Amino acid sequence: EDQVTQSPEALRLQEGESSSLNCSYTVSGLRGLFWYRQDPGKGPEFLFTLYSAGEEKEKERLKATLTKKESFLHITAPKPEDSATYLCAVMVRSGGSNYKLTFGKGTLLTVNP
Amino acid sequence: SQTIHQWPATLVQPVGSPLSLECTVEGTSNPNLYWYRQAAGRGLQLLFYSVGIGQISSEVPQNLSASRPQDRQFILSSKKLLLSDSGFYLCAWRQQYGYTFGSGTRLTVV
């Protein structure tokens, strides 16, 4: 069974205090790993897709990396507006031409001014 | 432009009442569509997916059903709601780079 585990469950940072979120996964045939940001009461907002070990992607203060067993979302000098729940998901093939996305429970990030 | 719409945004329904949530996409054809539920303290759980009109796959046995009457329309239904059906329901559409989610429906069964 595909499993995605995110840690920590919650993280509180001071503005400017860099840190990393972890996503470890156990899947058969990874087709892609996704990071999403979710604000309260809203749908997840796409951040990154990583496809192979060693791949890295950046967007503003965020940088995502991928190994064969886990992914990290590095947050550099965070600001209060970065506060949100960050979700990790893995995509695997699910019969025919369909793919399935399995999510972790997320990390609730709070950045204090 | 390509967009996904979901409604209503919030819904309070009594136990035993029926349910119909609608999701539509614009700017594409033959999309792969998904219904997820997000319950408090749990990750997003895949409920149904559809690769085309009339084609529905269920991921978990439950009190809900889904239908795809038109190419860009995906409907989540129930004949009789249970308390345990409460949650945040999200429709998603698979694009080349990833999945795009709708704004969600907060369902409270009372």
Side-chain angles (χ1 to χ4, degrees), chain B residues 44 54 83 87:
Chain B
L44 274 78
L83 287 174

Side-chain angles (χ1 to χ4, degrees), chain A residues 34 36 38 49 98-99 101, chain B residues 34 36 38 49 97-99:
Chain A
F34 299 82
Y36 285 86
Q38 187 176 25
T49 307
N98 189 50
Y99 294 87
L101 208 58
Chain B
Y34 304 81
Y36 282 86
Q38 190 173 37
Y49 67 87
Y97 66 87
Y99 289 61

Side-chain angles (χ1 to χ4, degrees), chain B residues 21-87:
Chain B
L21 303 181
E22 189 164 343
C23 170
T24 60
V25 295
E26 295 179 0
T28 187
S29 61
N30 197 30
N32 283 10
L33 298 174
Y34 304 81
W35 278 111
Y36 282 86
R37 177 171 60 199
Q38 190 173 37
R42 301 183 63 180
L44 274 78
Q45 181 186 33
L46 178 62
L47 302 175
F48 301 94
Y49 67 87
S50 173
V51 299
I53 296 174
Q55 300 179 62
I56 307 295
S57 295
S58 174
E59 285 294 301
V60 292
Q62 58 205 309
N63 185 43
L64 303 168
S65 62
S67 61
R68 180 115 174 234
Q70 300 180 38
D71 182 46
R72 288 171 285 180
Q73 184 184 34
F74 201 23
I75 297 173
L76 183 69
S77 305
S78 174
K79 292 182 179 179
K80 290 184 178 182
L81 284 169
L82 306 172
L83 287 174
S84 58
D85 292 324
S86 294

